[in-house]
Amino acid sequence: MTQVRNPLTGEIDRQLAPPSSDELAATAARLRAAAPAWRDADRAAVLSRFGAALAADDDLLAALVADTGRTGESVLERQIVAGMIERWVRQAPDLLAAPEDQAASIPGLVIGGDVVPYDLVGVISPWNFPLLLGLIDAIPALAAGCAVLVKPSEVTPRFIEPLMRLVPDELPLAVVEGAGETGAAVIGLVDAVVFTGSVPTGRKVAEAAAKAFIPASLELGGKDPAIVLAGSDLDRAAAAILWGGTANAGQSCQSIERVYVERAVHDEFLALLVEKAAKVGLTCEGGPIGPLIAADQAEVITRHLADATGRGAVVHTGGVIEHHGGGLWCRPTVVSAADHSMALMTEETFGPILPVMAVDSADEAVRLANDSVYGLSGAVFAETEEAARALARRLEVGAVSVNDASLTAMVHEGEKNSFRLSGLGGSRMGRASIARFVRRRSHLVNRALAADPWWHR
Ligand code: NAD
C-alpha cells in the first residue's frame, strides 16, 4: 500500500486507496456508457456549473494546500482552472462545429463533414499542480464530448475526494487515486491518453499506448533556458528570471533552470539576481516559497548542487535543504560559474535553483540553450523586442517568453508543441488542444447526375 507523506510535517498521514482492477474497469465502463448522452447534453451549462462550484469550494482548496504544503499557488491554481473551464465553454462550440459544405476540386463533388469525439479519454498527471494538471486536458476533452478518466499522482491524492463531490451527475468525469499500476491500467481502458510527467514514465506510456493502438499526447520534463543579452533591462530580467525559476519552489516543468548571460553584463546581472534572491523567503517564515512536495526532490537538488560545486560552481544564496516542522525546504539558490559538465545544467532539477553561466555572444547562448535533450520552453531578454524575437526563433523549444519568464504558467492560449524529449503530440495549449480529442469525418457527396468518368462501365 502506498503511503502518502504530508509535505509540511513530513508525516505519513494517509494511505493510498486505489480501486481494484475490476472497480477501475467498472468506472471506465460507466463513463464510456455515459458518453453518448453527454454528447447530447447541454455541455456548456454543466461545465459552467462545475467551474463555478470548483471556484468557490474551500474543501477543495484545503485539500490542495494539504497535498502541496503551499497556499498561494493553490489559490492561483484553482482560479486558473475555473478560468480555463469558462474559456473552453466559450470556445468549444466554434471549434467543434461541422465544416461548411464546400465544392471539391472535381466538379459535382461536395465536401462536408462532422466531428467525432473519442468515447473515453484517459489522463495521467503529476504532483506539482495536482488540480491544474489533472484537469488541463480533461476539460477540453469533456467540452469535445468525451468521457474522461483521470489518474493523478500518488504523491498528491487528497484533492480527489473534494473534487469528485463537485462533479455534476451529468458530467462523465471520474478521478481515481492510485500509483503507476493504476495509471498503466487506465491506458488499457481508454481510447486516447494524455500523460503529463517525467520522460522515463512518458516513454512507458507511449509504448503502452502504441501496444493498445491508441493516440498518446505526452507533456514531459524540461530544463528551460533563459538568455540575457547586453542591452537588456537587467533589473527586469533578474526579477522575471527569479520568479520563473523559483515559483512553486521550482517544481514546475516550465521553471527556468539555467541562465546564459552575455559576459559584458554578467557580473551586474548576477549581483542583481543574488540581491533579489536573498530577499525571497520561505512560506514558513512569511515568504512565498513553499516546501518541496515530493521528498525525492531533495535528493536530486542535493546531488546536483554537490556535483556543481565539486566542478567549480559557486553558491551565492540558499544551496542546502532545510528542515522546518518536518518539511523539506530549499531557498532560492543562485549559482554562478556553471557549465555544461554539471548535471545542474543538463538534467531536470525541479527545485528553486538558478545556475548562471557567462557567454561570449548571442550565438554561444543559443548554442548552449539548444544543447539539451529537452525542448519545453525558454526565455529571452534583449535590448529590443525585435532582437529578442530573433533569438526566440532560434531556440529549439515550444514556447519562448520574450522579455519575461515562464509565461506558459500564466497564459494557456498560445499554441505550442513540446520539442525533443519534452513531449509528443498536438498542442496542449491554445485552441488546437481540443483537436486531440476528436476525429474529423469527411462527407464526400456526389451531387452530379452524370456518371463519374472513373467508374467501370
Ligand atoms: P512521474 O512520471 O513520476 O509520474 C507521473 C504520473 O504517471 C503519476 O500519476 C504516476 O502515478 C504515473 N505513472 C507512473 N508509472 C506509470 C506507468 N507505468 N504507466 C502509467 N502511469 C504511470 O512524474 P512526476 O514525478 O509525478 O512529475 C514530475 C515530472 O512531470 C517532471 O519531469 C515535470 O517536468 C513533468 N511535468 C511536465 C509538465 C508539462 O506540461 N510538460 C507539467 C508538469 C510536470
Side-chain angles (χ1 to χ4, degrees):
M1 186 165 276
T2 307
Q3 301 188 319
V4 187
R5 176 183 166 275
N6 182 314
L8 277 180
T9 65
E11 283 165 14
I12 304 297
D13 60 2
R14 200 176 183 290
Q15 302 289 332
L16 208 66
S20 68
S21 54
D22 284 351
E23 286 165 343
L24 188 68
T27 300
R30 174 178 63 76
L31 290 169
R32 188 180 284 289
W38 174 236
R39 250 161 244 164
D40 293 337
D42 184 350
R43 300 200 293 274
V46 177
L47 281 168
S48 284
R49 206 166 358 115
F50 177 51
L54 178 150
D57 195 79
D58 289 338
D59 289 345
L60 175 64
L61 183 62
L64 271 177
V65 170
D67 265 334
T68 59
R70 32 89 159 153
T71 307
E73 288 92 341
S74 299
V75 172
L76 190 62
E77 185 177 2
R78 188 179 61 160
Q79 206 176 313
I80 289 174
V81 170
M84 178 183 77
I85 294 175
E86 272 317 301
R87 181 163 53 83
W88 281 117
V89 163
R90 276 195 313 275
Q91 291 183 343
D94 277 353
L95 296 170
L96 298 167
E100 299 270 326
D101 284 358
Q102 54 174 316
S105 56
I106 297 174
L109 289 190
V110 170
I111 305 173
D114 65 344
V115 177
V116 189
Y118 290 105
D119 280 338
L120 182 56
V121 169
V123 169
I124 302 169
S125 53
W127 48 261
N128 57 327
F129 286 96
L131 180 68
L132 174 64
L133 294 170
L135 293 186
I136 191 168
D137 302 293
I139 298 300
L142 287 161
C146 314
V148 181
L149 176 57
V150 184
K151 205 298 285 172
S153 169
E154 60 274 32
V155 178
T156 50
R158 298 170 183 83
F159 79 104
I160 295 173
E161 202 185 319
L163 177 66
M164 281 308 294
R165 283 204 295 267
L166 304 174
V167 174
D169 288 344
E170 310 93 300
L171 190 67
L173 167 68
V175 186
V176 296
E177 61 183 77
E181 267 176 26
T182 310
V186 164
I187 299 168
L189 295 167
V190 297
D191 306 316
V193 64
V194 184
F195 172 81
T196 309
S198 64
V199 172
T201 316
R203 278 189 194 279
K204 289 186 200 163
V205 168
E207 284 166 15
K211 280 202 182 110
F213 212 72
I214 60 169
S217 176
L218 307 177
E219 300 285 345
L220 309 178
K223 186 76 188 169
D224 278 10
I227 296 177
V228 182
L229 295 189
S232 307
D233 178 339
L234 296 183
D235 194 66
R236 177 189 174 85
I241 288 171
L242 178 60
W243 178 80
T246 64
N248 201 34
Q251 303 163 113
S252 308
C253 55
Q254 83 297 331
S255 261
I256 299 296
E257 293 217 353
R258 49 202 175 109
V259 188
Y260 303 100
V261 187
E262 257 192 317
R263 206 171 293 281
V265 294
H266 171 272
D267 292 356
E268 193 185 341
F269 172 82
L270 181 64
L272 285 165
L273 187 62
V274 170
E275 183 197 326
K276 289 181 196 303
K279 289 189 208 144
V280 178
L282 308 175
T283 50
C284 58
E285 54 192 31
I289 307 295
L292 303 180
I293 299 170
D296 299 355
Q297 272 336 109
E299 288 157 35
V300 179
I301 291 171
T302 305
R303 176 166 59 79
H304 284 186
L305 286 173
D307 172 69
T309 50
R311 293 170 191 272
V314 179
V315 172
H316 297 267
T317 58
V320 288
I321 301 298
E322 298 180 21
H323 298 252
H324 301 289
L328 302 168
W329 306 73
C330 184
R331 284 175 199 281
T333 296
V334 179
V335 176
S336 67
D339 65 45
H340 279 216
S341 71
M342 302 166 185
L344 187 60
M345 293 295 275
T346 56
E347 294 175 21
E348 188 177 48
T349 310
F350 230 54
I353 321 292
L354 283 163
V356 180
M357 178 173 179
V359 293
D360 289 330
S361 62
D363 285 349
E364 190 186 11
V366 169
R367 182 179 61 73
L368 288 165
N370 287 337
D371 177 22
S372 173
V373 295
Y374 295 108
L376 194 63
S377 38
V380 293
F381 295 82
E383 190 166 5
T384 62
E385 180 183 325
E386 198 186 359
R389 292 185 77 171
L391 213 52
R393 278 190 285 274
R394 298 170 66 193
L395 293 188
E396 288 286 312
V397 300
V400 185
S401 301
V402 175
N403 291 327
D404 205 330
S406 300
L407 282 179
T408 53
M410 309 304 291
V411 187
H412 294 179
E413 288 108 298
E415 284 173 17
K416 68 180 274 280
N417 293 108
S418 298
F419 289 24
R420 300 180 171 171
L421 292 187
S422 288
L424 211 55
S427 176
R428 146 179 287 176
M429 306 289 200
R431 296 161 65 88
S433 166
I434 203 166
R436 296 173 300 160
F437 307 116
V438 296
R439 279 106 0 123
R440 299 220 160 236
R441 179 162 48 199
S442 264
H443 303 177
L444 306 172
V445 185
N446 189 341
R447 287 188 184 155
L449 294 177
D452 289 338
W454 55 83
W455 285 354
H456 300 301
R457 294 162 198 261

CSV table of all heavy atoms in Angstrom, one decimal, residues 124-128 133 151-154 178-180 183-184 187 195-198 201 204-205 219-222 253 348 350 376 422 428, ligand 1:
chain,number,residue,atom,x,y,z
A,124,ILE,N,-3.3,11.0,-17.2
A,124,ILE,CA,-2.5,10.6,-16.1
A,124,ILE,C,-1.6,11.8,-15.8
A,124,ILE,O,-0.9,12.4,-16.7
A,124,ILE,CB,-1.6,9.4,-16.6
A,124,ILE,CG1,-2.5,8.2,-17.0
A,124,ILE,CG2,-0.6,9.0,-15.4
A,124,ILE,CD1,-1.7,7.1,-17.7
A,125,SER,N,-1.6,12.2,-14.5
A,125,SER,CA,-1.0,13.6,-14.2
A,125,SER,C,0.0,13.5,-13.0
A,125,SER,O,0.0,12.6,-12.3
A,125,SER,CB,-2.1,14.6,-14.0
A,125,SER,OG,-3.0,14.1,-13.0
A,126,PRO,N,0.8,14.5,-12.9
A,126,PRO,CA,1.9,14.5,-11.9
A,126,PRO,C,1.4,15.3,-10.6
A,126,PRO,O,0.3,15.8,-10.6
A,126,PRO,CB,3.0,15.3,-12.6
A,126,PRO,CG,2.3,16.3,-13.5
A,126,PRO,CD,1.0,15.7,-13.8
A,127,TRP,N,2.4,15.5,-9.7
A,127,TRP,CA,2.0,16.1,-8.4
A,127,TRP,C,2.3,17.6,-8.3
A,127,TRP,O,1.9,18.2,-7.3
A,127,TRP,CB,2.8,15.3,-7.3
A,127,TRP,CG,4.3,15.2,-7.6
A,127,TRP,CD1,4.9,14.1,-8.1
A,127,TRP,CD2,5.3,16.2,-7.4
A,127,TRP,NE1,6.3,14.3,-8.2
A,127,TRP,CE2,6.6,15.6,-7.8
A,127,TRP,CE3,5.4,17.5,-7.0
A,127,TRP,CZ2,7.8,16.3,-7.8
A,127,TRP,CZ3,6.6,18.2,-6.9
A,127,TRP,CH2,7.8,17.6,-7.4
A,128,ASN,N,2.9,18.2,-9.2
A,128,ASN,CA,3.4,19.6,-9.0
A,128,ASN,C,2.2,20.6,-9.0
A,128,ASN,O,2.3,21.6,-8.3
A,128,ASN,CB,4.5,20.0,-9.8
A,128,ASN,CG,4.3,19.8,-11.3
A,128,ASN,OD1,3.5,18.9,-11.7
A,128,ASN,ND2,4.8,20.7,-12.1
A,133,LEU,N,-3.1,20.2,-13.5
A,133,LEU,CA,-2.6,19.2,-14.5
A,133,LEU,C,-3.5,18.0,-14.6
A,133,LEU,O,-3.5,17.2,-15.5
A,133,LEU,CB,-1.2,18.8,-14.2
A,133,LEU,CG,-0.2,20.0,-14.4
A,133,LEU,CD1,1.2,19.7,-13.8
A,133,LEU,CD2,-0.1,20.4,-15.8
A,151,LYS,N,-6.2,9.9,-13.6
A,151,LYS,CA,-5.4,9.3,-12.6
A,151,LYS,C,-4.3,10.2,-12.2
A,151,LYS,O,-3.3,10.3,-12.8
A,151,LYS,CB,-4.9,7.9,-13.1
A,151,LYS,CG,-4.6,6.9,-12.0
A,151,LYS,CD,-3.6,7.3,-11.0
A,151,LYS,CE,-2.2,7.3,-11.6
A,151,LYS,NZ,-1.2,7.8,-10.6
A,152,PRO,N,-4.5,11.0,-11.1
A,152,PRO,CA,-3.5,11.9,-10.6
A,152,PRO,C,-2.4,11.2,-9.9
A,152,PRO,O,-2.4,10.0,-9.7
A,152,PRO,CB,-4.2,12.9,-9.7
A,152,PRO,CG,-5.7,12.6,-9.9
A,152,PRO,CD,-5.8,11.2,-10.4
A,153,SER,N,-1.4,12.0,-9.5
A,153,SER,CA,-0.2,11.4,-8.9
A,153,SER,C,-0.5,10.8,-7.5
A,153,SER,O,-1.3,11.4,-6.7
A,153,SER,CB,0.9,12.4,-8.7
A,153,SER,OG,1.9,12.0,-7.9
A,154,GLU,N,0.2,9.7,-7.2
A,154,GLU,CA,0.0,9.1,-5.8
A,154,GLU,C,0.6,10.0,-4.7
A,154,GLU,O,0.3,9.9,-3.6
A,154,GLU,CB,0.7,7.8,-5.8
A,154,GLU,CG,2.2,7.8,-6.1
A,154,GLU,CD,2.5,7.7,-7.6
A,154,GLU,OE1,1.8,8.2,-8.4
A,154,GLU,OE2,3.6,7.1,-7.9
A,178,GLY,N,-4.4,6.4,-7.1
A,178,GLY,CA,-3.6,5.2,-7.4
A,178,GLY,C,-2.2,5.6,-7.9
A,178,GLY,O,-1.9,6.8,-8.1
A,179,ALA,N,-1.3,4.6,-7.9
A,179,ALA,CA,0.1,4.9,-8.3
A,179,ALA,C,0.3,4.4,-9.8
A,179,ALA,O,-0.7,4.4,-10.6
A,179,ALA,CB,1.0,4.1,-7.4
A,180,GLY,N,1.5,4.1,-10.1
A,180,GLY,CA,1.8,3.7,-11.5
A,180,GLY,C,1.0,2.6,-12.1
A,180,GLY,O,0.6,2.6,-13.2
A,183,GLY,N,-2.2,3.8,-13.2
A,183,GLY,CA,-2.0,4.6,-14.4
A,183,GLY,C,-1.9,3.7,-15.6
A,183,GLY,O,-2.5,3.9,-16.7
A,184,ALA,N,-1.1,2.6,-15.5
A,184,ALA,CA,-0.9,1.7,-16.6
A,184,ALA,C,-2.2,1.0,-16.9
A,184,ALA,O,-2.5,0.8,-18.1
A,184,ALA,CB,0.2,0.6,-16.2
A,187,ILE,N,-4.5,3.0,-19.2
A,187,ILE,CA,-4.2,3.0,-20.7
A,187,ILE,C,-4.9,1.9,-21.4
A,187,ILE,O,-5.3,2.1,-22.6
A,187,ILE,CB,-2.7,2.9,-20.9
A,187,ILE,CG1,-2.0,4.1,-20.2
A,187,ILE,CG2,-2.3,2.9,-22.4
A,187,ILE,CD1,-0.5,4.0,-20.1
A,195,PHE,N,-0.7,12.2,-21.1
A,195,PHE,CA,0.2,12.0,-19.9
A,195,PHE,C,1.0,13.2,-19.7
A,195,PHE,O,1.6,13.8,-20.6
A,195,PHE,CB,1.1,10.8,-20.2
A,195,PHE,CG,2.2,10.6,-19.2
A,195,PHE,CD1,1.9,10.0,-18.0
A,195,PHE,CD2,3.4,11.1,-19.4
A,195,PHE,CE1,2.8,9.8,-17.0
A,195,PHE,CE2,4.4,11.0,-18.4
A,195,PHE,CZ,4.1,10.4,-17.2
A,196,THR,N,1.1,13.6,-18.4
A,196,THR,CA,2.0,14.7,-18.0
A,196,THR,C,2.9,14.1,-16.9
A,196,THR,O,2.3,13.6,-15.9
A,196,THR,CB,1.2,15.9,-17.4
A,196,THR,OG1,0.2,16.3,-18.3
A,196,THR,CG2,2.2,17.0,-17.2
A,197,GLY,N,4.2,14.2,-17.1
A,197,GLY,CA,5.1,13.6,-16.1
A,197,GLY,C,6.5,13.6,-16.6
A,197,GLY,O,6.9,14.3,-17.5
A,198,SER,N,7.2,12.6,-16.0
A,198,SER,CA,8.7,12.6,-16.4
A,198,SER,C,8.9,11.9,-17.7
A,198,SER,O,8.0,11.1,-18.2
A,198,SER,CB,9.4,11.8,-15.3
A,198,SER,OG,8.9,10.5,-15.2
A,201,THR,N,8.7,7.8,-17.5
A,201,THR,CA,7.4,7.3,-17.4
A,201,THR,C,6.7,7.6,-18.7
A,201,THR,O,5.9,6.7,-19.2
A,201,THR,CB,6.6,7.9,-16.2
A,201,THR,OG1,7.4,7.9,-15.1
A,201,THR,CG2,5.3,7.1,-16.0
A,204,LYS,N,7.3,4.9,-21.1
A,204,LYS,CA,6.5,3.7,-20.9
A,204,LYS,C,5.0,3.9,-21.3
A,204,LYS,O,4.4,3.0,-21.9
A,204,LYS,CB,6.4,3.4,-19.3
A,204,LYS,CG,7.7,2.9,-18.8
A,204,LYS,CD,7.6,2.5,-17.3
A,204,LYS,CE,8.9,2.5,-16.6
A,204,LYS,NZ,8.8,2.5,-15.2
A,205,VAL,N,4.5,5.1,-21.1
A,205,VAL,CA,3.1,5.4,-21.5
A,205,VAL,C,3.0,5.3,-23.0
A,205,VAL,O,2.1,4.7,-23.6
A,205,VAL,CB,2.7,6.7,-20.9
A,205,VAL,CG1,1.3,7.2,-21.6
A,205,VAL,CG2,2.5,6.7,-19.4
A,219,GLU,N,3.3,15.2,-22.3
A,219,GLU,CA,3.8,16.5,-21.8
A,219,GLU,C,4.8,16.2,-20.7
A,219,GLU,O,4.4,15.8,-19.6
A,219,GLU,CB,2.7,17.4,-21.3
A,219,GLU,CG,1.6,17.7,-22.3
A,219,GLU,CD,2.1,18.8,-23.3
A,219,GLU,OE1,3.1,19.4,-23.0
A,219,GLU,OE2,1.4,18.9,-24.3
A,220,LEU,N,6.1,16.3,-21.1
A,220,LEU,CA,7.1,15.7,-20.2
A,220,LEU,C,8.0,16.8,-19.6
A,220,LEU,O,7.6,18.0,-19.5
A,220,LEU,CB,7.9,14.7,-21.0
A,220,LEU,CG,7.1,13.7,-21.7
A,220,LEU,CD1,7.9,12.7,-22.5
A,220,LEU,CD2,6.1,12.9,-20.7
A,221,GLY,N,9.2,16.4,-19.2
A,221,GLY,CA,10.1,17.3,-18.4
A,221,GLY,C,10.7,18.4,-19.2
A,221,GLY,O,10.5,18.5,-20.4
A,222,GLY,N,11.4,19.3,-18.5
A,222,GLY,CA,12.1,20.4,-19.2
A,222,GLY,C,13.3,20.8,-18.5
A,222,GLY,O,13.6,20.4,-17.3
A,253,CYS,N,7.3,22.4,-14.6
A,253,CYS,CA,8.0,21.9,-15.8
A,253,CYS,C,8.6,23.1,-16.5
A,253,CYS,O,9.7,23.0,-17.1
A,253,CYS,CB,7.1,21.2,-16.8
A,253,CYS,SG,5.6,22.1,-17.2
A,348,GLU,N,17.0,17.7,-15.4
A,348,GLU,CA,16.0,18.4,-14.7
A,348,GLU,C,16.2,18.4,-13.2
A,348,GLU,O,16.4,17.3,-12.7
A,348,GLU,CB,14.6,17.8,-15.1
A,348,GLU,CG,13.4,18.6,-14.6
A,348,GLU,CD,12.1,18.1,-15.1
A,348,GLU,OE1,11.9,16.9,-14.9
A,348,GLU,OE2,11.3,18.9,-15.6
A,350,PHE,N,14.1,20.5,-10.9
A,350,PHE,CA,12.8,20.6,-10.3
A,350,PHE,C,12.9,21.2,-8.9
A,350,PHE,O,12.2,20.8,-7.9
A,350,PHE,CB,12.1,19.2,-10.2
A,350,PHE,CG,10.7,19.3,-10.8
A,350,PHE,CD1,10.5,19.8,-12.1
A,350,PHE,CD2,9.6,18.8,-10.1
A,350,PHE,CE1,9.2,19.9,-12.6
A,350,PHE,CE2,8.3,18.9,-10.6
A,350,PHE,CZ,8.1,19.4,-11.8
A,376,LEU,N,11.2,22.2,-23.9
A,376,LEU,CA,9.9,22.6,-23.5
A,376,LEU,C,9.6,24.1,-23.8
A,376,LEU,O,8.8,24.4,-24.6
A,376,LEU,CB,9.7,22.3,-22.0
A,376,LEU,CG,8.3,22.3,-21.5
A,376,LEU,CD1,7.4,21.3,-22.1
A,376,LEU,CD2,8.2,22.2,-20.0
A,422,SER,N,10.8,16.7,-24.5
A,422,SER,CA,9.8,17.3,-23.6
A,422,SER,C,8.3,17.0,-24.0
A,422,SER,O,7.4,17.4,-23.3
A,422,SER,CB,9.9,18.9,-23.6
A,422,SER,OG,11.1,19.2,-22.9
A,428,ARG,N,-1.1,21.2,-26.4
A,428,ARG,CA,-2.0,21.2,-25.2
A,428,ARG,C,-2.6,22.6,-25.0
A,428,ARG,O,-3.7,22.7,-24.4
A,428,ARG,CB,-1.2,20.8,-24.0
A,428,ARG,CG,-1.6,21.5,-22.7
A,428,ARG,CD,-0.8,21.1,-21.5
A,428,ARG,NE,-1.2,19.8,-21.1
A,428,ARG,CZ,-0.6,19.1,-20.1
A,428,ARG,NH1,0.4,19.7,-19.4
A,428,ARG,NH2,-0.9,17.9,-19.8
B,1,NAD,P1,6.1,10.7,-13.0
B,1,NAD,O1,6.5,10.4,-14.4
B,1,NAD,O2,6.8,10.0,-11.9
B,1,NAD,O3,4.6,10.3,-12.7
B,1,NAD,C1,3.5,11.0,-13.4
B,1,NAD,C2,2.3,10.1,-13.4
B,1,NAD,O4,2.5,8.9,-14.0
B,1,NAD,C3,1.8,9.7,-11.9
B,1,NAD,O5,0.4,9.9,-11.9
B,1,NAD,C4,2.2,8.3,-11.8
B,1,NAD,O6,1.5,7.5,-10.9
B,1,NAD,C5,2.0,7.8,-13.2
B,1,NAD,N1,2.7,6.6,-13.6
B,1,NAD,C6,3.9,6.1,-13.1
B,1,NAD,N2,4.2,4.9,-13.8
B,1,NAD,C7,3.3,4.7,-14.7
B,1,NAD,C8,3.1,3.8,-15.8
B,1,NAD,N3,4.0,2.8,-15.9
B,1,NAD,N4,2.0,3.9,-16.6
B,1,NAD,C9,1.1,4.9,-16.4
B,1,NAD,N5,1.3,5.9,-15.5
B,1,NAD,C10,2.3,5.8,-14.6
B,1,NAD,O7,6.2,12.3,-12.8
B,1,NAD,P2,6.1,13.2,-11.5
B,1,NAD,O8,7.3,13.0,-10.7
B,1,NAD,O9,4.7,13.0,-10.9
B,1,NAD,O10,6.0,14.6,-12.1
B,1,NAD,C11,7.2,15.4,-12.3
B,1,NAD,C12,7.5,15.4,-13.8
B,1,NAD,O11,6.4,15.9,-14.6
B,1,NAD,C13,8.7,16.3,-14.1
B,1,NAD,O12,9.5,15.7,-15.1
B,1,NAD,C14,8.0,17.5,-14.8
B,1,NAD,O13,8.8,18.3,-15.7
B,1,NAD,C15,6.9,16.9,-15.5
B,1,NAD,N6,5.8,17.8,-15.8
B,1,NAD,C16,5.6,18.2,-17.2
B,1,NAD,C17,4.7,19.1,-17.5
B,1,NAD,C18,4.4,19.6,-18.9
B,1,NAD,O14,3.4,20.2,-19.2
B,1,NAD,N7,5.3,19.3,-19.8
B,1,NAD,C19,3.9,19.7,-16.5
B,1,NAD,C20,4.2,19.3,-15.2
B,1,NAD,C21,5.1,18.4,-14.9
